[in-house]
Every structure is written in structure tokens, then in C-alpha cells.
Amino acid sequence: EPEVTQTPSHQVTQMGQEVILRCVPISNHLYFYWYRQILGQKVEFLVSFYNNEISEKSEIFDDQFSVERPDGSNFTLKIRSTKLEDSAMYFCASSERASGSYEQYFGPGTRLTVT
Amino acid sequence: GQSLEQPSEVTAVEGAIVQINCTYQTSGFYGLSWYQQHDGGAPTFLSYNALDGLEETGRFSSFLSRSDSYGYLLLQELQMKDSASYFCAVRDQGAGSYQLTFGKGTKLSVIP
């Protein structure tokens, strides 16, 4: 069964450093998303991406965040200057655009620890 | 503002039936989804309701009442592997939006 993959599984970085989280969505999916989940809290939407551009973003997704689809398979989230409060699990998700089908497939997540 | 309310914890016995409720207050509403998340794992899609009524998928069913801004997830014939967190999530940003707003989750513990 096709699945979303993410690398790395765990990333430790120092405050102020840049990190890039990588995702490979399911190949025939057209919509891509990033969510984050701070330990013990709910999943929060960050951004959605379609047709090579951001379609929606939340208040969390400020100027320090950016997303890119550098080639036909990868989808990346960059955090320019990490803060302690960016420590969280980051999930990538993808979905196909099919009428009535809004299922989002989540990857296993990258645990980001900012020290 | 937007809010989704669901119980923080539920405990049930193996083989039993459990219902996890979700009430929502959102500026728009375009569907209610349910996701399962095991500790340390990724959310996994369980069901989606856009219209009122009951959707059944195996041991799991989901119900929606848009007039009451309420839905529930029903798990039957509980198994130990059903122990996980269950999140309701709404699409509230427009018919063309895929953004999900999640509730805080209900931690289900299934006991022998």
C-alpha cells in the first residue's frame, strides 16, 4: 500500500539554526500538507500546497517557515531560524483530489527538538 | 472562534462498545472527520461525514448531526489494539479547502 514517508525521523538542532524537514507524498496525490503536534497536544494545521503554490496557511506559518516542492517527488518544510517553541512532531500529509474524498494520509512524522 | 470539544479520556472493556462524542463551534462547516493515533504514531483516517446520519466502516461508525453541531465515533467489539487517541477534525474553511482543524483528542484505554 502506498504511504507518505518523512525524513529524518528525529532532528535535533540548536536555537537559531535552519532545519529542513523532508517528505515524499503518495505519488498520485495532488494536495500536500504540513501539520505539527506539540507533545501531548492536538494536531495543528500549518500549510497546504497545491499546483506548486501555497493554497492555505495558518497563523503559525509565519515568515520563518517556507515550503517547497523541489522536484516531482519531494515536499519540504524549512524553518529558517528555529526557536525552542518549534520543538514538536511535524507531520506531512497528502490527499488526492477526488470528489467526496477528503481523506488525508499522514506520514510517520519528524520529531524536531530545538535546544 | 473555532472550537471542538471531546472528552479527554475514556476507558472501556474489551469486547464492549464505546462512543466518543465531538461538538464543534466553527464559523463554517464542510465535514467532520475522525482520525486514530497510536502513541508515537501518525494520525490515521477513520471516517468522514459531510451529511447528517451514520456512516459505517466495519467495527467503526461515525455519526453527524449538523443542526446540533455534534458528531460521534462508535467503536464496537473493542479490541486491545483500539487503545489509542481519537481526534475529531472539521473542514471549516470553505468547500474548496482541505485544511483540517483538530480537536484535542480522546485517549481511549481498552482494558481486559
Side-chain angles (χ1 to χ4, degrees):
Chain A
E1 187 174 329
E3 58 183 18
V4 177
T5 60
Q6 291 184 241
T7 54
S9 56
H10 192 189
Q11 173 90 47
V12 181
T13 189
Q14 289 190 323
M15 196 167 53
Q17 295 298 304
E18 174 183 286
V19 294
I20 297 177
L21 310 183
R22 302 180 192 280
C23 168
V24 178
I26 294 173
S27 61
N28 65 335
H29 284 187
L30 301 177
Y31 283 77
F32 315 118
Y33 316 83
W34 283 101
Y35 291 85
R36 79 171 186 191
Q37 185 177 32
I38 295 170
L39 186 64
Q41 299 188 24
K42 67 178 180 179
V43 177
E44 299 175 291
F45 171 80
L46 293 178
V47 65
S48 62
F49 192 86
Y50 171 70
N51 200 25
N52 286 318
E53 60 183 25
I54 291 173
S55 48
E56 300 170 280
K57 59 182 180 179
S58 70
E59 293 175 351
I60 302 169
F61 194 87
D62 61 21
D63 290 345
Q64 71 161 340
F65 290 91
S66 62
V67 289
E68 196 175 36
R69 189 155 162 82
D71 53 45
S73 59
N74 290 285
F75 179 51
T76 62
L77 174 70
K78 182 193 290 187
I79 309 175
R80 259 180 278 282
S81 178
T82 50
K83 302 191 282 274
L84 293 176
E85 54 264 38
D86 292 328
S87 295
M89 182 73 91
Y90 287 80
F91 292 105
C92 172
S94 69
S95 64
E96 59 180 332
R97 190 181 183 190
S99 176
S101 172
Y102 296 98
E103 177 175 355
Q104 294 186 15
Y105 293 78
F106 283 72
T110 293
R111 181 170 297 285
L112 177 64
T113 302
V114 182
T115 61
Chain B
Q2 303 157 326
S3 71
L4 290 88
E5 297 292 330
Q6 50 182 131
S8 57
E9 293 183 26
V10 172
T11 300
V13 177
E14 191 176 13
I17 299 172
V18 72
Q19 178 174 312
I20 299 174
N21 298 320
C22 174
T23 57
Y24 57 88
Q25 278 189 306
T26 57
S27 53
F29 178 80
Y30 299 89
L32 180 71
S33 299
W34 288 92
Y35 283 78
Q36 177 192 62
Q37 185 180 34
H38 287 97
D39 280 348
T44 304
F45 174 83
L46 292 177
S47 69
Y48 172 76
N49 295 69
L51 302 175
D52 293 349
L54 191 68
E55 294 280 342
E56 297 182 69
T57 309
R59 294 188 296 114
F60 295 178
S61 304
S62 58
F63 171 82
L64 176 66
S65 169
R66 288 173 295 171
S67 60
D68 296 320
S69 298
Y70 163 75
Y72 65 72
L73 179 70
L74 191 73
L75 297 83
Q76 303 183 74
E77 300 172 20
L78 281 174
Q79 302 175 9
M80 299 300 290
K81 68 178 182 180
D82 297 329
S83 292
S85 290
Y86 293 84
F87 294 86
C88 58
V90 297
R91 291 178 56 237
D92 56 359
Q93 296 298 317
S97 166
Y98 286 62
Q99 175 180 339
L100 292 174
T101 300
F102 282 79
K104 293 183 178 179
T106 298
K107 187 175 177 64
L108 171 65
S109 299
V110 180
I111 58 176

